[in-house]
Amino acid sequence: MSLYQIFLSNTGRPIHKSGHYFFAYERHFGRYVGHPVTFLEIGAGNGGSAQMWKSWLGPLARIVTIDINEVCRQYADEQIAVRIGDQSDPQFLQSLLDEFGTFDAVLDDGSHHMEHVTKSFDFLYKRIAANGVYMIEDMHTAYWSDYGGGRGDPRSMVERFKGLIDDLNADHVTDGTVAPSYFTRQTVAMTAYDSVLVLERAPMINKFMKMIGDDTQRANY
């Protein structure tokens, strides 16, 4: 059953999702289905989404869900761990790493406030698995002033994402304005959807360009 089918057939705790998110979910998290994975969900909501991830990812998945609301503790079970804390608190985030180890995938469906989103990203991204996936959803809030955003506002995670495109391509910037960083060396792809941002890491990125074939047949222009 696809993740979207699991969502549509849900009769348990409520799940609040936009339908087009499932294309991104299945595209980027599908690699983990049926495999051992440690999956961090920021924002427990009503508890239904953690059950959805558990059902889709399979019995080898360990789901860790965090929230600031104490009531969310009731969503824990044999495969889902719930921890209460602030997603923007580095000490709390470090405690998760100390307890559960490296996360293979992170889904930020937390407060959607720019301050919280950026602090979570700054701390966690460099600490997820070397081939991990970091996804942030509901980023329409990056355009809303009530959430600390706005078009062109430097606090916006969407604006941050735009700037990271230059970091991704820093090896090709010849004027010295962008220096290669850990992000350049560890990021293989960035994907933007309506309201969803995805960043994918890779332990080794083969950027060397090659020409393969019979050189005598090269076109002359």
Side-chain angles (χ1 to χ4, degrees), residues 75-88:
Y75 305 147
D77 64 21
E78 79 289 344
Q79 204 173 329
I80 298 170
V82 178
R83 297 294 180 266
I84 305 303
D86 182 344
Q87 73 170 97
S88 65

Side-chain angles (χ1 to χ4, degrees), residues 139-214:
M139 279 297 92
H140 44 272
T141 61
Y143 296 93
W144 298 352
S145 60
D146 288 352
Y147 284 75
R151 186 170 182 270
D153 192 313
R155 298 172 299 172
S156 161
M157 189 61 198
V158 168
E159 295 299 325
R160 176 76 175 280
F161 190 87
K162 294 175 186 178
L164 287 172
I165 294 173
D166 290 332
D167 285 5
L168 180 68
N169 291 281
D171 287 320
H172 314 296
V173 179
T174 59
D175 63 3
T177 56
V178 182
S181 66
Y182 85 89
F183 187 87
T184 311
R185 298 288 175 248
Q186 298 178 4
T187 306
V188 67
M190 299 171 61
T191 309
Y193 303 87
D194 181 334
S195 303
V196 178
L197 306 175
V198 186
L199 304 100
E200 298 177 76
R201 292 188 57 180
M204 195 284 289
I205 305 171
N206 185 354
K207 294 185 177 182
F208 298 102
M209 190 173 292
K210 305 176 182 68
M211 181 177 288
I212 307 297
D214 184 353

Side-chain angles (χ1 to χ4, degrees), residues 65-83:
T65 299
I66 66 172
D67 206 285
I68 59 171
N69 193 342
E70 285 284 346
V71 74
C72 295
R73 291 190 188 276
Q74 66 182 297
Y75 305 147
D77 64 21
E78 79 289 344
Q79 204 173 329
I80 298 170
V82 178
R83 297 294 180 266

Side-chain angles (χ1 to χ4, degrees), residues 54-166:
K54 170 184 168 180
S55 178
W56 184 57
L57 293 170
L60 301 180
R62 177 169 55 175
I63 316 296
V64 180
T65 299
I66 66 172
D67 206 285
I68 59 171
N69 193 342
E70 285 284 346
V71 74
C72 295
R73 291 190 188 276
Q74 66 182 297
Y75 305 147
D77 64 21
E78 79 289 344
Q79 204 173 329
I80 298 170
V82 178
R83 297 294 180 266
I84 305 303
D86 182 344
Q87 73 170 97
S88 65
D89 179 359
Q91 291 185 322
F92 171 64
L93 296 177
Q94 183 61 55
S95 74
L96 300 175
L97 295 172
D98 293 342
E99 181 177 3
F100 299 103
T102 302
F103 292 105
D104 299 293
V106 175
L107 174 64
D108 186 345
D109 185 20
S111 75
H112 313 307
H113 283 263
M114 296 306 103
E115 180 183 2
H116 301 159
V117 170
T118 54
K119 285 183 176 179
S120 298
F121 174 77
D122 286 340
F123 185 85
L124 287 172
Y125 182 71
K126 66 183 71 173
R127 293 174 171 87
I128 64 174
N131 59 347
V133 177
Y134 197 103
M135 183 181 294
I136 310 169
E137 66 179 64
D138 290 347
M139 279 297 92
H140 44 272
T141 61
Y143 296 93
W144 298 352
S145 60
D146 288 352
Y147 284 75
R151 186 170 182 270
D153 192 313
R155 298 172 299 172
S156 161
M157 189 61 198
V158 168
E159 295 299 325
R160 176 76 175 280
F161 190 87
K162 294 175 186 178
L164 287 172
I165 294 173
D166 290 332

